Amino acid sequence: GTRIVYERDFLMNLRNSPISK
Amino acid sequence: SLPPIEISPNEHKLQYAYALWYSRRSSGKQPNIQSYDQNLKLVGRFASVEQFWSLYSHLVRPSELTTSTHFHLFKVGIKPMWEDEANQKGGKWIVRLRKGLVSRCWENLILAMLGEQFMVGEEICGAVVSIRFQEDVICVWNKTASDYATTARIRDTLRRVLHLPASASMEYKTHNESLK
C-alpha cells in the first residue's frame, strides 16, 4: 500500500509554520 | 487508556503516531523490570508534522540532558521495553557518538524515522538517545532481529542520514541478548 513519506527539508520547512507555532 | 490523537485537516499526517518517553536511571539502585517501567515517563504524543514540532520545540536538546538520561521515541502502542510484544523478537542498532554530536544526530534520526525514510515497512519500533558520561548513544529498535535484509537496510539508512564515516562504531544487539 501507499506510505506517507516526508523528506527532511519538507519537515524542516514546517517547523515554523503557523500551525506548528 | 489515552484517547486517540486528533488531527485537523490542515495538518500533515504522519504514517504513524508516536509517543515520546523520558527516563533517568537512578544512581546506586539495581535496575529491575518494575523500576525501569516506573522510571519511564510519557512526555507527549503526536500524529502530525505540526504536532511533532509543537512538542519538539519544548524539549531541551539531548546534549543538555544530564548523564544517564534518555529520550525514547516509539510508535504509539509500543512501549520502549524489551518485554513489549512488538520488541520480544527484535533488536537494535547501537551507534556510539563522541560528545558534541548527539543533538544533531538525534534530530536527523527522528526526522528520518517520522518521514519513513528507512523503507522497512512496519519494522521500525522506535529510537532511543542516551546521554552518558564520556559518550552518547543513539539506537534504532526494529521488530525482527532475524530479518537480516531489514537490519542491513536500517544500518545503511543510519549511515546515510547521520553522515557516519565507515569507521563509526555501530553494533547490532538482539533484545534477547540484553534480557540474558
Side-chain angles (χ1 to χ4, degrees):
Chain A
T2 57
R3 300 190 78 80
I4 305 173
V5 177
Y6 295 108
E7 297 287 337
R8 183 182 184 281
D9 288 346
F10 185 87
L11 294 174
M12 292 297 289
N13 284 337
L14 288 174
R15 183 170 194 162
N16 294 311
S17 72
I19 298 176
S20 294
K21 287 188 172 182
Chain B
S1 60
L2 292 173
I5 304 168
E6 294 182 7
I7 306 172
S8 78
N10 297 325
E11 295 176 45
H12 293 79
K13 186 177 185 295
L14 293 169
Q15 179 67 38
Y16 299 99
Y18 288 86
L20 180 74
W21 306 76
Y22 166 87
S23 68
R24 185 176 180 185
R25 184 167 175 172
S26 305
S27 60
K29 288 185 182 177
Q30 280 286 78
N32 57 50
I33 294 176
Q34 192 176 17
S35 64
Y36 186 87
D37 196 1
Q38 289 171 347
N39 277 336
L40 275 173
K41 307 297 181 186
L42 180 65
V43 176
R45 304 178 301 156
F46 54 88
S48 73
V49 178
E50 289 81 359
Q51 290 172 10
F52 160 70
W53 286 121
S54 175
L55 174 65
Y56 187 79
S57 66
H58 285 84
L59 300 175
V60 296
R61 293 162 65 85
S63 57
E64 297 167 25
L65 292 171
T66 54
T67 306
S68 300
T69 53
H70 319 263
F71 278 145
H72 318 250
L73 186 60
F74 275 65
K75 290 175 179 174
V76 166
I78 304 177
K79 214 167 180 183
M81 296 178 64
W82 306 321
E83 294 84 357
D84 188 283
E85 187 178 348
N87 293 322
Q88 286 176 0
K89 296 181 181 177
K92 60 185 180 184
W93 275 110
I94 305 166
V95 181
R96 301 183 191 282
L97 303 168
R98 60 174 174 82
K99 284 294 188 183
L101 300 177
V102 67
S103 293
R104 186 179 182 89
C105 286
W106 174 245
E107 183 170 289
N108 286 342
L109 168 59
I110 59 177
L111 290 177
M113 188 169 70
L114 302 184
E116 289 292 304
Q117 295 292 321
F118 283 90
M119 305 288 192
V120 287
E122 314 237 337
E123 271 287 317
I124 298 290
C125 296
V128 184
V129 58
S130 303
I131 304 305
R132 300 182 180 176
F133 181 56
Q134 289 188 322
E135 65 176 7
D136 299 319
V137 179
I138 55 177
C139 299
V140 175
W141 290 36
N142 74 294
K143 287 182 180 177
T144 314
S146 58
D147 184 344
Y148 301 126
T150 289
T151 57
R153 180 169 274 191
I154 293 172
R155 177 202 61 211
D156 294 343
T157 305
L158 272 174
R159 286 196 187 281
R160 177 170 57 83
V161 302
L162 300 184
H163 306 291
L164 296 175
S167 58
S169 168
M170 290 186 73
E171 172 196 359
Y172 191 83
K173 196 172 182 180
T174 66
H175 299 320
N176 252 342
E177 294 171 43
S178 303
L179 278 165
K180 287 174 185 174

